[in-house]
Structures are given as C-alpha cells and as structure tokens.
C-alpha cells in the first residue's frame, strides 16, 4: 500500500510537470530514481551535503563591447547557454533529469522492439516541449534578438526588438528592447534614428534602467555626425547628472560650447545680461577640465573667445597662446587628436591676429595671419583680413597681391564683397582715380542685384523655416549644371548665408538627415516596409522640421545682418565715388591754374629685387596654384603735390 501511494504521488508530480514552463529539477531534489541501475561510463553526478539547501547560481552581467558603450542589458550577455542543462543527445533525456518516459527500465538509450505482425500499437502519450532553461517566452525572444545583434544581423535585431516593444504583455522588457533597438540602429549607421530612440530612453529619467549607458551612447553618436551641435541640446538637459568618468571631460567641453553658442545668440538679440550669464558659465566649466586632458585646449579656446568678448585683451591673448603651445604636434600622437589640434591651432592663430588687429597692433596681426596654413580652411579668410592690416601700415603692394589671389578663378564662388571696396580705397589713396571708379562700378554691377534679392527675401512675411527653404532651393539649383547665369546671384546669397559657421553646420546636419531618410529605401524589404521603419521615418521627419526651424531662424538673422552690411558697403562705395570725383575736380582746377600740367602721380621705378629664397616672376594674367598667396602688386605710389603740378614728370616732388 505504501509503495502504491509513492507511485501515485510520483505520477501526479509528472502530470503537473508537463504544464509548467519552470524547471522540474527542484521537484525531484534528493530523489534518486536510478540507484539500482548500473551507472553508465562517463556519466556525472552532482553531490550535495545532506540538509544543506542548494544555492542558485547568479548569472554575472555581460562584459561591455570592446570600444563601445557598456551594455548592461541582462539580455545582452553571452551567458544564456549557462542556464540550459546539458544535452546528451539521447532519447528520453529531458535535459539530463534522469527520467526515462519511454517505458524502458533503463534511463539510457534502449532500442525499441518492433511490434509483431497483427499486434495493435499501444496508445502513446504525447508531452508538450518542456522549457527547462528557467526563462520565460518573452526573455527568450529578447535573447534571440540579442543573438542577432551579436551575429551582425542588425536589421533583424532591430525588428525583433521593435516587435517586443509593441506587445503589452512584455511591458517589463520594453526598456531593454528599446535599448537594443537604439544600438542596432547605431550599428546600421542610422545615427539620427538611434539618437531619437536614445532620447526617449533618457526621457524616462535617471531611474531608468539604461539612463547612464544611454548618456554614453550620446558621445559615440556625436563622433559620427557631421555636427556635434545636434547632441548639445540633448546633453544640456542632463547637465546636473553625473556623467561616466570616461566621458566627463568631453561632456564639460560640449556643455561649455553649448553655453558659448547660446551666449553669442543672446548677444545678437541684445539681451546682454543673459549673455553675460551664459559666457560666465563657460569660464566656470573650463576650470573643471584637467590641463592634461585632450579636451582642455578646446575649452581654453572657448574661454579666450569669452574673454575677448568682455574686452579682456591681455587675458584673451594669454589663453590663445596657451592653445598654440598645447596643440603642437608630437611624435606618436593619436591621429584623431592630432587632426583636432591642427584645426584648433589654425583657429587660434586667426583669433590672435584678430585680437591684435582689433587693438590696432597691425604688424602683430600680420605676423599671426601669416602663420595660418596655406590652403587650409582659414587661409582665404586670413588673406582677406591681412590685406586690411597691410593697408593700415601702407603696404599697398602686399594688400593688392592678397586681393589678386581672392579674385582668381579658383575662388570665384567665394564671397568677399568688401575686397573690391578695399581695392578701390587703395587706388583712391594713391590718386588712381580712374581705376578706383572702375572698380566701384564693378562692385555695384556684381553686388547691387544681390542686395535687391536679399531685400526681397528678408521683407517676406513668412515663417522662419521658409528662409531655410530658400537656401535649400538654391542648393538644389546649384547641383544642376545647366542653371542660368542669373542663378549666380542666388549662389552668392547661399555663400553669404553659409559664411555663418553655426548655420553651415546646421545645414550639414539637415543634409545628413535627408541622406539617412534615403538610406531606408536601400534596406531589405522586410525592414523597409515594416511598421518600425514607418515610425522611425516619421521621427526623422520631425527631427528635420525642428532643424529646419532652427536653421531658418539663423538664416533670417544672417541674411538680415549681411543685408545691412551690404547696404553700408554700397553706401561707402558711393561716398568713395563722390570723394574721387571731388578730388579729380580739384586736381583739374589746380592743373588749369598751373598751366595745364597733366601729371597726377609721381613716376615710379619698378624694382625686382627679392630675397635669396624667392624668385621674381612677372604676372601676365595667368594663375598657378603654387603662386596663390604670394603676389605683390607693383603700384605707382604717392600723389603729386598741388604746388608742383606744373613741374616736369622727372622732377622730384614731395608726396602728400
């Protein structure tokens, strides 16, 4: 009777075990069903001490990806197989439980005896597959999605993660699935889409499971996008939280840059008190970055700009000199850091020159303008600004030589309207009145239509985003090689607007985002036509709307500013023409009174002496790339004194 009771209990336990997804091992703990059988060679048994409760092993968190933000997702590890019991590959071995349900007396793989002819087959009992891994169905799906990510099947991983996110039954795993989706999109180089998903994770607040790691991913995305400013607004939202130590100094730099850009915008809006507060924040943040960190020179440069804005001349110069010293190239330097330092070094030289020029220290300014690398992104700007410094100290030949470079066919699309005004002023100063008048006529012919177009654009009563749409239309026309010559005016407007670096970077971000939208059309059909892609594309379109609105505001401000500057240049041109006409009239009257002498300038003897490391080569109208930036214009110097207008051209005369 006792034996029958034990067998009945065992049967009931087996029956219930077929309808549960949890491991059945605990139900038979301490029960040895095979003690009377001979142990098979090579089989292993696990011994536990009598009376001691067996502890469950805790799966350690997976290691972070190499060179990638740490993945703290419980489903992201590689230890899933550790939760599964060993599979011997034998019939009847349900995960190594030791139970034989085949009817054989041996728990091993016994051969079945075929039924004799005429015998009826005994009814068989079928059992549903029992998952002995200890994982629920939702966890298994998430693990499968992680496996696709590790196998570089990023599109499948993203689709699987999105499917989990849409199922309300798996709400406990939605954050993990969302985190997996963001990572998969990043691996697919859909950086703006990835940023949108990470932003939603961060919006859940610091109590979110993946808050810290999502912050890390922001930095990785900022390294991949053309404009790090896209990340600035997102990072600034979480400035009060502790960032991972690895990215802390980079975070401080990005935050300082955010406050600097904001302060400059407030200055333009004439909100000085708020601008002061933002720029003071820049100075405070710089103090938190160690001097030996790669991001310190960039922070120091922002501090120098803030000091220059406050007219703190001495402190600004010292800060810029620090940047120059810290950005020298050194052997074995990381290529990324070296490239970053080279660009920063050029900007520091430019700002040093501008600082000296602003304080009328023109020869120092010329020295630092000369330090800018030839052919670099700042080179043309340095030539133009140096021309003004040369003009101030009377070096007209060098100033005109720089302007010849700017007017070469290589830089025909560059926007330097003031260059013609400076050229006219130099000729006027040297009594070359006809040339000065001719140059001003060219200036009006080229830039008066630009002025009229700008005025028409800025007077429109439209939404700010429409100002960017104007620039977008110009860019599309520029891609068409068959565009009409009249569109060159619009091209100049585009060049004018994009001289604002913040607007240019925002424009680059919009173009990058549009390329990402196009990239969805090149994905496999299962990805391209999925509900996930539709939702992500809508999110990208919304991002584009926000960027276009931001770019529109910047474009409107830039175009209105440049319209005002162009009005001033045109007015100055008219004033110079009036002065030129007046001088010509005065000089003609003086000549008539002096007997009709026609000399207007002193005779000038051309000198061809150059330094030992230079070669004199006369300019005959052709341009060579290796000669750009080295031109010096031979100019007849000095006007004839009015009281000697009746003397012969060869006579000596004092200059005015």
């Amino acid at each position: 009777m006792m034996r029958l009771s034990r067998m009945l209990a065992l049967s009931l336990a087996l029956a219930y075990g077929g309808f549960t997804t949890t491991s059945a091992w605990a139900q038979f703990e301490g029960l040895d069903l095979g003690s009377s059988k001979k142990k098979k060679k090579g089989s292993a048994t696990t011994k536990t001490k009598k009376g001691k409760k067996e502890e469950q092993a805790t799966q350690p968190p997976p290691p972070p990806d190499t060179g990638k933000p740490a993945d703290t997702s419980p489903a992201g590890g590689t230890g899933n197989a550790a939760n599964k019991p060993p599979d011997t590959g034998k019939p009847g071995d349900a995960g190594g439980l030791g139970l034989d349900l085949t009817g054989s007396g041996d728990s091993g793989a016994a051969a079945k005896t075929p039924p004799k002819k005429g015998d009826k087959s005994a009814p068989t009992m079928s059992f549903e597959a029992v998952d002995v891994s200890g994982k629920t169905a939702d966890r298994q799906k998430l693990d499968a999605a992680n496996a696709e990510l590790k196998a570089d099947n990023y599109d499948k991983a993203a689709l699987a993660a999105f499917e989990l996110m849409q199922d309300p039954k798996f709400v406990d795993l939605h954050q993990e699935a969302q985190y997996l989706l963001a990572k998969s999109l990043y691996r697919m180089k859909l950086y703006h889409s990835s940023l949108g998903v990470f932003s939603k994770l961060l919006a859940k607040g610091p109590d979110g499971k993946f808050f810290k790691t999502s912050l890390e991913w922001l930095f990785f995305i900022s390294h991949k996008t053309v404009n790090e400013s896209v990340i600035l607004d997102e990072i600034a939202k979480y400035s009060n939280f502790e960032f991972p130590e690895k990215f802390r100094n980079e975070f401080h730099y990005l935050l300082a840059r955010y406050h600097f850009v904001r302060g400059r915008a407030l200055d333009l809006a004439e909100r000085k008190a708020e601008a002061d507060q933002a720029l003071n924040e820049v100075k405070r943040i710089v103090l938190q970055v160690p001097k030996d960190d790669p991001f310190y020179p960039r922070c120091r440069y922002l501090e120098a700009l803030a000091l220059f804005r406050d007219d703190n001349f001495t402190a600004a110069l010292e800060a810029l000199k620090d940047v120059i010293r810290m950005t020298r190239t050194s052997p074995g330097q990381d290529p990324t850091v070296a490239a970053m330092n080279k660009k920063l070094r050029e900007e520091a030289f430019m700002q040093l020159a501008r600082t000296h020029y602003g304080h009328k220290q023109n020869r120092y300014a010329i020295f630092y303008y000369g330090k800018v690398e030839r052919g670099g992104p700042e080179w043309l700007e340095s030539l133009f600004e140096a021309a003004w410094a040369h003009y101030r100290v009377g070096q007209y030949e060098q100033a005109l030589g720089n302007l010849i470079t700017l007017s070469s066919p290589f830089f025909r699309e560059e926007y330097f309207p003031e260059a013609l005004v400076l050229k006219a002023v130099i000729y006027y100063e040297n009594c070359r009145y006809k040339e000065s008048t001719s140059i001003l006529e060219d200036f009006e012919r080229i830039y008066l239509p630009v002025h009229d177009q700008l005025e028409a654009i800025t007077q429109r009563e439209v939404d700010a985003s429409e100002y960017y749409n104007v620039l977008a239309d110009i860019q599309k026309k520029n891609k068409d090689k068959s565009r009409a010559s009249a569109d060159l005016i619009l091209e100049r407007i585009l060049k004018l607007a994009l001289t604002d670096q913040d607007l240019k970077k925002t424009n680059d971000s919009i173009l990058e985002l549009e390329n990402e939208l196009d990239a969805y059309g090149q994905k496999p059909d299962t990805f391209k036509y999925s509900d996930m892609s539709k939702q992500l594309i809508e999110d990208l379109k919304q991002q584009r709307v926000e960027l276009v609105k931001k770019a529109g505001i910047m474009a409107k401000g830039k175009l209105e500013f440049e319209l005002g500057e162009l009005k001033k240049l045109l007015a100055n041109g008219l004033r110079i023409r009036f002065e030129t006409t007046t001088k010509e009239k005065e000089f003609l009257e003086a000549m008539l009174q002096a007997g009709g002498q026609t000399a207007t300038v002193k005779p000038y003897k051309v000198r061809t002496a150059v330094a030992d490391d230079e070669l004199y080569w006369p300019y005959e109208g052709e341009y060579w790339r290796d000669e750009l930036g080295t031109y010096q214009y031979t100019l007849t110097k000095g006007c004839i004194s009015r009281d000697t207008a009746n003397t012969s051209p060869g006579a000596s005369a004092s200059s005015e």
Side-chain angles (χ1 to χ4, degrees):
M1 186 68 180
M2 182 64 69
R3 181 185 180 95
L4 181 60
S5 300
R6 288 172 60 87
M7 291 301 294
L8 181 60
L10 178 58
S11 300
L12 289 172
L14 283 173
Y16 282 109
F19 295 94
T20 178
T21 58
T22 58
S23 175
W25 178 255
Q27 298 178 25
F28 300 100
E29 185 176 355
L31 182 60
D32 183 7
L33 301 179
S35 60
S36 61
K37 306 292 186 293
K38 185 184 290 186
K39 291 183 179 179
K40 298 180 69 70
K41 188 176 181 180
S43 64
T45 58
T46 303
K47 295 183 179 180
T48 56
K49 292 184 179 180
K50 186 176 180 180
K52 183 176 181 180
K53 187 174 182 181
E54 189 173 359
E55 296 181 356
Q56 295 182 349
T58 304
Q59 180 183 349
D65 295 337
T66 305
K68 301 166 186 173
D71 183 1
T72 58
S73 170
T78 58
N80 298 334
N83 292 333
K84 297 180 180 179
D87 184 7
T88 62
K90 301 173 183 178
D93 188 356
L97 296 180
L99 287 177
D100 180 12
L101 303 178
T102 64
S104 171
D106 191 356
S107 61
K112 294 183 179 180
T113 304
K116 294 180 180 180
K117 189 174 182 180
D119 290 349
K120 293 183 179 180
S121 300
T124 59
M125 182 180 294
S126 61
F127 290 89
E128 294 182 5
V130 179
D131 176 23
V132 293
S133 66
K135 296 187 177 181
T136 56
D138 50 357
R139 174 60 64 183
Q140 291 180 57
K141 287 185 177 181
L142 191 58
D143 287 350
N146 271 290
E148 295 289 1
L149 178 66
K150 294 180 184 300
D152 297 342
N153 298 324
Y154 306 131
D155 54 341
K156 294 180 180 179
L159 288 169
F162 183 79
E163 183 181 351
L164 276 170
M165 290 169 56
Q166 306 311 305
D167 197 330
K169 294 185 297 184
F170 304 149
V171 65
D172 292 339
L173 295 181
H174 279 188
Q175 283 195 45
E176 293 182 41
Q178 195 172 22
Y179 183 67
L180 175 61
L181 173 61
K183 291 193 299 180
S184 302
L185 294 171
Y186 176 89
R187 299 282 191 266
M188 296 177 73
K189 299 183 180 180
L190 301 174
Y191 301 120
H192 288 270
S193 296
S194 178
L195 174 63
V197 179
F198 276 121
S199 298
K200 292 176 182 177
L201 272 171
L202 289 168
K204 300 180 187 300
D207 295 332
K209 190 173 185 179
F210 300 99
F211 182 79
K212 289 186 177 180
T213 50
S214 295
L215 284 177
E216 294 183 25
W217 280 94
L218 290 183
F219 294 100
F220 281 85
I221 294 173
S222 71
H223 299 162
K224 296 294 184 180
T225 54
V226 295
N227 180 16
E228 63 187 11
S229 298
V230 175
I231 315 295
L232 293 183
D233 292 339
E234 197 67 34
I235 287 178
K237 294 178 185 177
Y238 308 103
S239 58
N240 294 328
F241 296 100
E242 188 72 15
F243 272 69
E245 186 175 358
K246 180 180 178 181
F247 301 100
R248 197 165 297 159
N249 294 326
E250 183 177 359
F251 159 69
H252 285 139
Y253 159 69
L254 291 174
L255 191 60
R257 192 174 185 281
Y258 168 80
H259 285 293
F260 176 78
V261 172
R262 182 173 179 270
R264 188 170 60 177
L266 290 169
D267 259 341
L268 292 174
E270 298 182 355
R271 295 160 62 180
K272 189 176 184 303
E274 294 175 77
D276 289 342
Q277 186 177 0
L279 294 171
N280 287 336
E281 192 67 13
V282 172
K283 301 171 191 174
R284 184 189 68 81
I285 293 171
V286 171
L287 299 175
Q288 301 180 41
V289 181
K291 292 186 177 181
D292 58 349
D293 189 83
F295 284 95
Y296 180 74
R298 301 174 77 175
C299 293
R300 186 76 164 134
Y301 178 73
L302 291 175
E303 182 184 21
L305 296 181
L307 292 168
F308 178 76
R309 178 259 186 188
D310 292 340
D311 292 327
N312 195 338
F313 176 66
T314 304
L317 287 180
E318 287 305 314
L320 290 168
K321 289 176 182 178
D322 279 347
V323 173
I324 297 295
R325 285 189 285 265
M326 290 183 291
T327 52
R328 293 186 181 124
T329 56
S330 58
Q333 193 174 39
D334 180 79
T336 304
V337 176
M340 180 176 70
N341 285 347
K342 181 180 179 181
K343 183 176 183 296
L344 181 63
R345 187 178 178 85
E346 296 292 298
E347 292 174 354
F349 277 131
M350 284 291 292
Q351 194 59 37
L352 268 172
R354 288 166 176 165
T355 304
H356 283 289
Y357 182 86
H359 286 75
K360 299 183 179 180
Q361 297 180 357
N362 300 299
R363 296 189 185 276
Y364 282 109
I366 292 169
F367 171 78
Y368 286 115
Y369 281 128
K371 290 290 184 180
V372 176
E373 183 182 20
R374 184 178 183 275
E378 303 286 347
W379 183 53
L380 289 181
E381 194 72 31
S382 71
L383 285 178
F384 169 67
E385 294 180 17
W388 275 107
H390 285 296
Y391 162 75
R392 279 183 170 184
V393 296
Q395 295 176 351
Y396 301 129
E397 298 91 343
Q398 188 62 56
L400 290 174
N402 286 5
L403 298 180
I404 288 175
T405 296
L406 294 176
S407 62
S408 71
F410 297 109
F411 311 121
R412 185 173 294 159
E413 295 181 354
E414 299 298 329
Y415 184 81
F416 290 103
E418 200 173 354
L420 287 175
V421 175
L422 174 58
K423 190 175 181 180
V425 169
I426 292 174
Y427 276 96
Y428 169 81
E429 291 286 341
N430 287 274
C431 299
R432 302 281 290 269
Y433 301 127
K434 289 183 179 180
E435 290 93 335
S436 178
T437 301
S438 176
I439 293 167
L440 290 172
E441 288 174 352
D442 288 341
F443 172 73
E444 291 179 0
R445 175 178 54 81
I446 295 171
Y447 291 105
L448 191 57
V450 176
H451 167 272
D452 295 341
Q453 286 280 358
L454 277 175
E455 198 163 48
I457 291 172
T458 54
Q459 287 180 352
R460 295 177 184 174
E461 295 294 334
V462 295
D463 187 72
S465 60
E466 288 299 318
Y467 285 91
Y468 176 78
N469 292 335
V470 171
L471 301 184
D473 290 340
I474 297 172
Q475 291 182 92
K476 291 176 182 177
K477 288 182 179 180
N478 286 346
K479 293 179 181 179
D480 183 9
K481 296 182 180 179
S482 62
R483 67 183 187 273
S485 58
D487 291 337
L488 292 174
I489 297 174
L490 297 178
E491 186 175 339
R492 289 193 179 99
I493 292 176
L494 176 64
K495 287 288 183 182
L496 168 64
L498 296 184
T499 54
D500 184 286
Q501 289 302 307
D502 290 328
L503 175 57
K504 182 180 183 302
K505 289 180 178 180
T506 306
N507 177 66
D508 291 342
S509 290
I510 294 172
L511 297 178
E512 182 182 55
L513 196 148
E514 290 174 348
N515 289 335
E516 187 168 314
L517 282 168
D518 294 339
Y520 276 87
Q522 302 171 6
K523 300 300 179 185
D525 289 350
T526 53
F527 186 92
K528 178 169 51 177
Y529 298 114
S530 64
D531 291 338
M532 178 193 70
S533 291
K534 293 177 183 177
Q535 182 174 318
L536 291 173
I537 288 172
E538 287 301 316
D539 291 343
L540 285 179
K541 289 179 179 178
Q542 184 59 38
Q543 287 186 48
R544 185 185 181 280
V545 168
E546 295 299 323
L547 281 176
V548 165
K549 186 182 297 184
K550 179 179 178 181
I553 294 172
M554 297 167 70
K556 181 181 180 181
K558 177 63 175 176
L559 294 178
E560 288 178 343
F561 173 79
E562 290 297 340
L563 174 61
E565 292 299 306
L566 201 52
K567 283 182 182 292
K568 291 178 183 177
L569 289 177
L570 288 167
N572 288 338
L574 288 173
R575 185 170 63 84
I576 295 169
R577 290 187 67 175
F578 177 77
E579 292 289 340
T580 301
T581 302
T582 302
K583 289 290 184 183
E584 285 184 305
K585 177 184 176 183
E586 291 176 357
F587 198 79
L588 288 171
E589 291 175 349
M591 285 195 299
L592 290 173
Q593 293 176 1
Q597 178 63 40
T598 58
T600 57
V601 293
K602 293 191 299 180
Y604 183 75
K605 184 178 180 180
V606 177
R607 292 189 294 268
T608 60
V610 295
D612 293 338
D613 59 343
E614 295 177 342
L615 177 66
Y616 177 78
W617 193 271
Y619 171 71
E620 296 178 354
E622 75 282 3
Y623 288 91
W624 299 87
R625 283 190 180 275
D626 59 342
E627 294 177 353
L628 297 175
T630 64
Y631 297 113
Q632 288 197 21
Y633 191 88
T634 303
L635 179 70
T636 305
K637 294 183 177 181
C639 301
I640 293 291
S641 296
R642 300 293 180 266
D643 57 352
T644 60
N646 59 347
T647 61
S648 63
S652 62
S654 60
S655 62
E656 288 185 310

